[in-house]
Every structure is written in C-alpha cells, then in structure tokens.
Amino acid sequence: MSAEKLKHHKIIFVVGGPGSGKGTQCEKIVQKYGYTHLSTGDLLRAEVSSGSERGKKLKVIMEKGELVPLDTVLDMLRDAMLAKADVSKGFLIDGYPREVKQGEEFEKKIAPPTLLLYVDAGKETMVKRLLKRGETSGRVDDNEETIKKRLETYYKATEPVITFYKSRGIVRQLNAEGTVDEVFQQVCSHLDAL
C-alpha cells in the first residue's frame, strides 16, 4: 500500500526531551482535534513486549540506550499511519525525528511535516519529572543515570533538527515549564492557525 494517501493529512512532528510533557500534550491534542498519536517509543515498546524476533533485537538495543535502526522505525510508523489514514484528521509523530536524516527519510518514504511542535522544558524540570515517573512506571530507563544519558543524547541530536526545520519556518516552540493547561493553550493557538 502506498504512502500517497498520507500526503493530504496534517502531519505534526512533536519534539521534546524525555519528561518535557510531550506525551501529555499529545493526549490532549488527540481529545480536542481528533489526531492520531503515534509515539515511536510506544510502537517500539509494543513490538518488544510482543516477543517477536524483531522485538527481541530491539530490546537489546533499547536497554543499551542506543537508537533503533531508522528503517525499522520508519516501516513501523508508515504501517501505523496507513492503518489509520481513512479515519484520522492528522498525525502527531511523537519523539521523531531524532536527527535530521530521520526527518529527510520520513519525507521520502511518507510525507513532509506540516508543523514541528517543540515542547521545550529545562533540564532540571525533565530530570525531576522523570524520577517521579520512575517511581510508578516500572520503565527500565527511568533511573537517574540513564536519564542523564538520555538527556545528553537528546540535546545532541535535537538541536540540528530544530535548526533544520526553523529554516523552513514550521517550528513552533512551546514553553513547557508551566502547567499542563498553560502549555496546551500555546498548542491550541498554533493548531487553530493551521
């Protein structure tokens, strides 16, 4: 099945560090705007817990805190998008692209993004939120040492991505230090303008 029919959908990249609150914002966007929320992390975790061959390989990569091969991620994203293409008003691609090359490949294989929402929270805020989440989430990667590593990886990878899309004028930066509702008000002002 071709990705052709995805070209007319709104596609919004949602970029923000681990603990920036982007997952929460995505949930609110889904409720209000009827978009389909696709988190590459959730897709990968679902694959891992399915216990498939691919899932077993992914588990090893993820436990080391390394990035999963691009083709694997893109195939999973495209399949998930095509499955919802007929019923969705748009797509929120959460936690992607992690690097410029991923964005370029996404456009080749799927479609260009309409907007990039940059959910921007400070380092201290993110560490605090993640440690709190780790108390209840049971996720192997919510401990302080891994968190610091993830934040480092995130910053290194994300800055060029933001710069790349800024040059196209599609980046909308959110101050994510406020309450969930304050951040969501900013989100709405950008989405309503589309």
Side-chain angles (χ1 to χ4, degrees), residues 17-90:
S20 61
K22 67 179 163 41
T24 307
Q25 292 302 321
C26 285
E27 282 167 28
K28 291 183 76 70
I29 295 170
V30 168
Q31 285 165 3
K32 182 170 178 180
Y33 294 94
Y35 285 21
T36 300
H37 176 208
L38 296 173
S39 149
T40 51
D42 287 348
L43 288 173
L44 293 167
R45 280 188 287 277
E47 187 76 36
V48 167
S49 57
S50 78
S52 69
E53 247 346 279
R54 178 156 76 176
K56 283 179 191 138
K57 287 190 188 119
L58 291 174
K59 186 177 186 192
V60 175
I61 296 172
M62 286 160 77
E63 279 173 352
K64 287 186 193 156
E66 292 170 5
L67 291 178
V68 171
L70 181 52
D71 280 344
T72 309
V73 177
L74 277 176
D75 289 344
M76 293 169 84
L77 268 175
R78 193 180 54 194
D79 294 347
M81 289 171 80
L82 286 169
K84 292 272 172 32
D86 295 331
V87 293
S88 187
K89 300 201 168 134

Side-chain angles (χ1 to χ4, degrees), residues 1 5 24 27 40 45 53 78 80 83 86 91 99 102-103 107 112 119-120 123 126 135 147 162 168 181-182 189 192:
M1 186 142 97
K5 57 153 108 187
T24 307
E27 282 167 28
T40 51
R45 280 188 287 277
E53 247 346 279
R78 193 180 54 194
D86 295 331
F91 295 96
E99 46 193 41
Q102 293 184 344
E107 294 192 29
V119 187
D120 189 18
K123 211 176 208 160
M126 294 196 279
E135 292 165 17
I147 287 170
I162 301 298
R168 291 196 192 177
D181 287 333
E182 284 164 356
S189 71
D192 290 344

